[in-house]
Structures are given as C-alpha cells and as structure tokens.
Amino acid sequence: MKVLFLIQGYQVAASRYRVLQYLPYLQSKGVDATVSLYPGTVRENFRFFNSLSQYDLIFLQRKRFSQPRLGLLRRRAKKIVYDFDDSVMYRNSTREDPVSDTRRRRFVQMVKASDFVIAGNEFLKDQVLPFNSNVEVIPSSIDGGRYDPKDYSLKKGVTLGWIGDHGSIHYLEKMKPVFEEVGKRYPHAELKIVCDIFFDCDRMKVVKKEWRSEEEVTDLQSFDIGLMPLIDDPWSWGKCGLKIIQYQGVGVPVVCTPVGINRDLVEDGVNGFYAMTPDQWVEKLSILIEDASLREKMGREGRERVMERYTVQACAPRLFSIFRQLVTRGITE
C-alpha cells in the first residue's frame, strides 16, 4: 500500500501529532509512506498531480484544495482521506465574525470529494456528516512511550505552564489580570510559556522558553499546573485539546475553560478544574498552588485516562484499519 501524506510543515504540531508520529507503526504494517509539503509553485503542482497515479491513497492533513485543483485531484487520486483538527469552516477566535461563506464552501467541497474524513473531535465530525457519512473521530494523541510522568518531588516554587504556537497565545495573554492577582497572592508562583513569542507580567515571573522538539517533554514535566484557556466560540469548539493531552500525558493537572473537547478531557474536580470567569481562574489556581498532594493526585488521574485512549498505541491501529479498508475493499458510498 503506497500512501502520500501532504502536511503543512515538519515542525507544525498538527503534522507531527496527526501524521509523522504514526509513520513507524504504519510502515511496520507494510505501508510505503511518502511525506511531502503541500505544493506551492507551478512546477511543484505539475509534479504533484502527475505523481498521483502511483499512490493507492492520498492523505491530506487540514488544508483544503480549492477548485479547479480539487477537481483535478479527485480525477487523478485513487482514494482521498481528509484529516482535520480545527474548525476550518469558521474564522478563528481573533475575528469578530466567525462565519465565512468562502471557508464553508471550500470545506464542504473538500469533504464531498473525499473517500473518508478523519475528524479530531465529535463537533468536527458533526460538521462533516451532512455531506459525507464516511467519517470517524481519531483524537490527537501522544506517544505513550515518550511521555514519562513528571517528578512530583517538592520544589520551592509552583510553575503554571502553557505550551503552544503563536497563533494561540492570545488566549493566554487575555489571562494577564488573573496572573497578576495570582502573582500578588503567591510570590513563589511563576508562569512558564513554551512558544516562539511571549509577553510579560508585572507581578508574576514569566519564564520564556523557546519551543524545541527534543525538549518538549522535559518542558511539560517542569509544569506543576497546565493551562488551557479558550473562548466559547465555533473556532474553539473545534479544538482537539492537544495541550491538555500533553499536560496529562506527563501527569500534570489542568485548569481549563470548559469549552468543546476540554469538557471531555477534564473532569472537574477529578483530573483538573473548570474556570470561566477571572475569579474562577484565580480560585482554582489558588487551590492547586496551595495543595501539592492534590496536584499529584489529579495529575496521575489525568495520565491514566490519557494512556487509555489518547496515545499513538491506541490510535495508530484505527488509522491503519481505515487505510486498509479503503484500499483493499473500498467503502460503500
């Protein structure tokens, strides 16, 4: 089985966690995998479309082809799998109006042209179903063998941690008033941001750490409390909770906005806390800052749940099963 994976970038989180980490398992099952960036130039497009006949399946991660390229793709590709883990049919949370007719149209055209669609959560699956019944949820996952639990030994301070790309840091920056109040109450608390852009707080120390793949797990293990603030809007409903899965993968308790998949990943009071208002954020962070044993208890509970469902070991066989069904037996439309 020859499969061509088109990804956005080798360091892009979605590409790493929804494609690249699955390759060793797929190759062990006999999949001849080729990974390429999306074609950009005229020459790259020419080569791409001329190469499609040699592959049994084309896997598109997140980006949509628009017409007339989509029509040409459909005519030349034997099978198409479209994978997405964001509300690509809406504008993101920085925009006042989330509705975009262009985005919606391109999304509908893409899923209609696909033989199978893989959605990152149930909300995204529901967006596909009116147009394509061949859709399954495969959550974003981590490598269970790579994510070791953190060391819970007591240390002098408490680290609130956030990891992500620059496109999402606006969620965290809106939390500055919360961090100022928490910093005022707890001088030993600090905020650690793992990203490529940062901001400062007046009353809380901010540790600015450039993201590096080889240091990602170590950075996560340095957190005592993981943060995932969101906005209650269509873009956030499509989030697949990778941050929370990463935090929980190393045994870190989470405080999050109870929106979308966050409610599935975090059970309030069991493996983390929900917080909507600034006062709730301060309250829940304070509880965890003051109670190291509770942090450990919640962290271990979260890790146990993640290891059951949200790992490569759990999800890779499902992905291969979809590929095999498409290539060997086909799927009834």
Side-chain angles (χ1 to χ4, degrees), residues 44-55 72 76:
E44 288 172 350
N45 273 277
F46 181 80
R47 290 176 178 172
F48 166 71
F49 284 107
N50 281 342
S51 72
L52 291 179
S53 61
Q54 66 182 283
Y55 299 103
L72 182 59
R76 296 198 175 185

Side-chain angles (χ1 to χ4, degrees), residues 193-209:
I193 303 172
V194 181
C195 190
D196 57 358
I197 62 172
F198 309 93
F199 60 85
D200 292 302
C201 294
D202 294 327
R203 295 188 174 184
M204 176 174 279
K205 177 184 176 183
V206 178
V207 179
K208 303 172 183 178
K209 174 65 167 58

Side-chain angles (χ1 to χ4, degrees), residues 210-224:
E210 290 278 349
W211 177 86
R212 290 185 176 84
S213 177
E214 64 274 13
E215 299 171 354
E216 185 174 44
V217 173
T218 301
D219 284 328
L220 290 162
Q221 292 167 335
S222 72
F223 298 170
D224 296 300

Side-chain angles (χ1 to χ4, degrees), residues 15-280:
S15 300
R16 292 187 297 115
Y17 281 92
R18 296 190 67 84
V19 175
L20 299 178
Q21 68 174 353
Y22 288 124
L23 296 183
Y25 176 87
L26 294 174
Q27 290 165 342
S28 75
K29 293 295 184 179
V31 174
D32 182 357
T34 300
V35 180
S36 177
L37 300 180
Y38 277 84
T41 66
V42 173
R43 176 175 292 183
E44 288 172 350
N45 273 277
F46 181 80
R47 290 176 178 172
F48 166 71
F49 284 107
N50 281 342
S51 72
L52 291 179
S53 61
Q54 66 182 283
Y55 299 103
D56 299 300
L57 187 151
I58 310 299
F59 184 100
L60 308 178
Q61 207 286 306
R62 196 176 186 274
K63 292 184 71 174
R64 285 85 61 215
F65 278 79
S66 57
Q67 298 291 3
R69 294 165 72 236
L70 179 59
L72 182 59
L73 174 69
R74 180 62 279 177
R75 289 191 297 273
R76 296 198 175 185
K78 296 174 183 176
K79 298 291 181 180
I80 299 172
V81 173
Y82 177 60
D83 172 271
F84 71 119
D85 62 336
D86 267 321
S87 292
V88 296
M89 70 295 296
Y90 293 103
R91 297 189 182 101
N92 67 34
S93 298
T94 63
R95 305 292 293 274
E96 184 175 344
D97 183 2
V99 176
S100 167
D101 291 339
T102 300
R103 281 177 166 267
R104 186 71 180 175
R105 182 175 62 255
R106 289 183 63 185
F107 170 75
V108 170
Q109 290 174 344
M110 188 68 246
V111 299
K112 282 184 174 180
S114 299
D115 296 286
F116 202 94
V117 180
I118 298 173
N121 66 26
E122 291 292 338
F123 169 76
L124 298 178
K125 177 182 177 179
D126 289 343
Q127 303 301 300
V128 174
L129 280 173
F131 312 104
N132 191 332
S133 62
N134 295 323
V135 56
E136 183 174 330
V137 172
I138 296 183
S140 296
S141 62
I142 60 173
D143 185 346
R146 179 170 170 250
Y147 275 66
D148 295 324
K150 70 178 272 89
D151 181 357
Y152 294 102
S153 302
L154 292 178
K155 62 181 186 181
K156 291 183 179 180
V158 176
T159 302
L160 316 181
W162 184 92
I163 189 169
D165 62 35
H166 57 265
S168 298
I169 200 169
H170 65 95
Y171 294 113
L172 189 70
E173 193 163 11
K174 289 181 174 70
M175 297 274 293
K176 282 184 67 173
V178 170
F179 300 138
E180 301 293 10
E181 178 60 28
V182 171
K184 178 182 176 182
R185 294 188 185 187
Y186 305 100
H188 64 295
E190 65 181 16
L191 172 64
K192 183 172 181 178
I193 303 172
V194 181
C195 190
D196 57 358
I197 62 172
F198 309 93
F199 60 85
D200 292 302
C201 294
D202 294 327
R203 295 188 174 184
M204 176 174 279
K205 177 184 176 183
V206 178
V207 179
K208 303 172 183 178
K209 174 65 167 58
E210 290 278 349
W211 177 86
R212 290 185 176 84
S213 177
E214 64 274 13
E215 299 171 354
E216 185 174 44
V217 173
T218 301
D219 284 328
L220 290 162
Q221 292 167 335
S222 72
F223 298 170
D224 296 300
I225 304 168
L227 309 174
M228 192 169 178
L230 287 176
I231 298 171
D232 191 4
D233 65 0
W235 182 259
S236 297
W237 301 339
K239 291 285 186 181
C240 292
L242 178 59
K243 289 180 182 59
I244 293 179
I245 294 167
Q246 289 182 288
Y247 301 151
Q248 293 179 335
V250 296
V252 172
V254 179
V255 181
C256 70
T257 309
V259 171
I261 200 173
N262 287 9
R263 297 183 64 89
D264 299 325
L265 295 169
V266 176
E267 183 177 353
D268 192 33
V270 177
N271 56 355
F273 286 122
Y274 296 159
M276 283 293 292
T277 67
D279 286 346
Q280 289 173 351

